[in-house]
C-alpha cells in the first residue's frame, strides 16, 4: 500500500473529519438528509442528480448487491441504499471510509439497508468470484494507473450477466491544456484519464459488452457553472467540498470549470454487461 501513499495524502491534506461530524451534529441534530449531505459527499460533477441518473441504470431487484469502487465519503452509497440496493463501498483512502461510516450512522437512511465500507486496492479486490450483481464507478477510475487490471478484477467479482456502470471523467480533445490542481489530482502524477475510445476498448477487451455510452459534457459544464456561481456568493454554507479539500478547492473548482469549457476533459456515462 506504500505506493499509494501520495494519493491518500492528496485526499488527507485538507480533510476535516472531526469538524465535519461536529458541524453535522450541530446543524442537523435529527440526522442529515441526502440533500443536506450532498455538498459534502457528492464529490463529482453533476451532484446528486448525476448519481440518481447513474443509479437508474440498475434495478434493485436484479442488481441487489452492488460494489461501489472509489466510494469516497459515501454519497452514492447512501443514495443507492435509499432505493433498496445493498452496497459495499471500496476506497483506498481509509480516512474516507471511516468518515463514510460515521456519516451513514448519523444519516436518516442509516439502516435501510445496511452499508459496508472496505479499505482496499481496486487492482486486487478483496472479494470472491461472482460476489456482486453490479459494479459502480463514479469519478474514480481516473485515479487508477492500471485500469485494465481494475476492469479484470471487476469481471472476476461480477456474476455472469452482471452489470458495470460508470459516470467518469475522460480526456477531451485538448487534454494537453488540462489545468491543475483538480479535485482528483494536484499534479499529473495521479491523473490517469483515458479517452472514451480507450475506455470502451478496455471494457470490451476485459469481457464486457457495451450497451450504453452517453456524453454528459454539456450538462456537466452547465452544472459546474451554476456551482461556481454559488461558490463565489459570499455566504457560509453548512457543508461544502472545502471541508474535504480545504481552501485548495477554490482553485480546483475554477480549474474544473475551465477544463470542461476548454474541452480538456469530458464527462461520460457508460453501461456494460459481462
Amino acid at each position: 500500500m506504500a505506493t499509494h501513499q501520495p494519493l491518500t495524502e492528496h485526499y488527507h491534506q485538507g480533510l476535516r473529519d472531526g469538524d465535519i461530524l461536529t458541524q453535522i451534529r450541530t446543524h442537523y441534530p435529527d440526522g442529515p438528509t441526502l440533500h443536506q449531505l450532498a455538498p459534502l459527499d457528492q464529490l463529482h460533477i453533476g451532484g446528486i442528480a448525476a448519481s440518481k441518473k447513474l443509479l437508474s441504470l440498475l434495478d434493485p431487484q436484479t442488481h441487489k448487491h452492488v460494489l461501489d469502487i472509489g466510494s469516497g465519503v459515501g454519497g452514492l452509497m447512501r443514495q443507492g441504499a435509499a432505493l433498496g440496493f445493498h452496497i459495499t463501498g471500496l476506497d483506498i483512502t481509509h480516512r474516507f471510509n471511516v468518515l463514510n461510516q460515521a456519516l451513514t450512522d448519523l444519516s436518516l437512511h442509516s439502516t435501510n439497508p445496511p452499508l459496508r465500507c472496505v479499505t482496499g486496492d481496486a487492482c486486487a479486490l478483496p472479494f470472491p468470484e461472482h460476489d456482486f450483481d453490479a459494479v459502480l464507478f463514479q469519478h474514480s477510475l481516473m485515479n487508477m494507473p492500471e485500469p485494465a487490471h481494475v476492469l479484470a478484477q471487476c469481471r472476476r467479482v461480477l456474476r455472469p450477466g452482471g452489470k458495470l456502470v460508470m459516470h467518469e471523467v475522460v480526456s477531451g480533445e485538448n487534454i494537453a491544456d488540462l489545468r491543475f490542481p483538480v479535485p482528483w489530482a494536484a499534479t499529473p502524477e495521479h491523473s490517469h484519464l483515458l479517452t472514451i475510445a480507450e475506455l470502451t476498448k478496455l471494457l470490451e477487451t476485459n469481457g464486457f459488452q457495451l450497451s450504453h455510452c452517453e456524453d454528459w459534457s454539456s450538462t456537466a459544464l452547465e452544472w459546474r457553472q451554476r456551482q461556481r456561481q454559488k461558490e463565489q456568493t459570499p455566504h457560509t454554507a453548512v457543508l461544502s467540498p472545502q471541508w474535504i479539500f480545504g481552501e485548495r478547492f477554490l482553485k480546483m473548482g475554477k480549474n474544473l470549470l475551465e477544463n470542461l469549457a476548454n474541452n480538456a476533459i469530458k464527462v461520460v456515462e457508460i453501461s456494460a454487461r459481462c
Side-chain angles (χ1 to χ4, degrees), residues 90-273:
L90 179 126
D91 204 284
I92 205 164
T93 305
H94 184 64
R95 281 175 64 188
F96 274 1
N97 291 326
V98 174
L99 179 57
N100 184 353
Q101 186 60 60
L103 293 174
T104 295
D105 292 343
L106 290 173
S107 172
L108 295 178
H109 299 281
S110 61
T111 60
N112 184 29
L115 300 172
R116 178 170 61 139
C117 300
V118 177
T119 300
D121 186 348
C123 280
L125 294 175
F127 310 108
E129 292 184 6
H130 307 158
D131 205 30
F132 295 98
D133 302 313
V135 172
L136 294 170
F137 287 86
Q138 190 172 43
H139 288 30
S140 53
L141 192 68
M142 58 192 181
N143 265 146
M144 300 175 189
E146 299 178 282
H149 290 175
V150 173
L151 294 176
Q153 284 287 294
C154 292
R155 180 68 181 82
R156 180 183 66 79
V157 302
L158 275 170
R159 63 166 173 79
K163 199 167 183 181
L164 181 147
V165 297
M166 293 181 163
H167 172 220
E168 279 294 322
V169 177
V170 296
S171 61
E173 284 79 2
N174 299 322
I175 186 63
D177 297 328
L178 182 63
R179 300 182 182 185
F180 292 92
V182 285
W184 67 91
T187 65
E189 178 186 6
H190 295 298
S191 182
H192 303 286
L193 300 179
L194 300 167
T195 65
I196 297 176
E198 288 169 339
L199 178 52
T200 55
K201 184 177 179 180
L202 273 179
L203 286 166
E204 292 167 355
T205 301
N206 284 278
F208 290 95
Q209 182 178 359
L210 192 68
S211 56
H212 170 79
C213 182
E214 181 181 348
D215 189 333
W216 280 15
S217 301
S218 59
T219 301
L221 176 59
E222 291 170 4
W223 181 87
R224 185 61 217 151
Q225 287 170 333
R226 293 194 299 272
Q227 294 303 111
R228 182 66 179 163
Q229 290 176 349
K230 292 178 184 177
E231 291 157 7
Q232 292 179 311
T233 301
H235 73 286
T236 303
V238 175
L239 296 171
S240 79
Q242 290 187 53
W243 293 79
I244 301 291
F245 293 109
E247 293 300 317
R248 299 178 301 163
F249 185 76
L250 297 175
K251 182 66 172 175
M252 290 174 172
K254 179 175 181 290
N255 287 343
L256 196 58
L257 177 58
E258 292 177 355
N259 288 331
L260 281 165
N262 296 337
N263 199 21
I265 59 174
K266 292 179 175 289
V267 179
V268 296
E269 177 187 82
I270 288 176
S271 175
R273 291 188 181 277

Side-chain angles (χ1 to χ4, degrees), residues 34 42 51 54-55 58-60 63-72 74-90 97 100-101 104 109-110 112-118 127 131-138 165:
L34 295 177
Q42 298 276 351
S51 295
L54 184 65
L55 289 165
L58 302 177
D59 183 334
H63 311 107
K64 179 171 287 188
H65 298 284
V66 179
L67 174 61
D68 179 5
I69 296 182
S71 50
L76 182 63
M77 292 176 64
R78 283 179 286 277
Q79 195 170 345
L83 297 173
F85 294 100
H86 294 247
I87 302 184
T88 297
L90 179 126
N97 291 326
N100 184 353
Q101 186 60 60
T104 295
H109 299 281
S110 61
N112 184 29
L115 300 172
R116 178 170 61 139
C117 300
V118 177
F127 310 108
D131 205 30
F132 295 98
D133 302 313
V135 172
L136 294 170
F137 287 86
Q138 190 172 43
V165 297

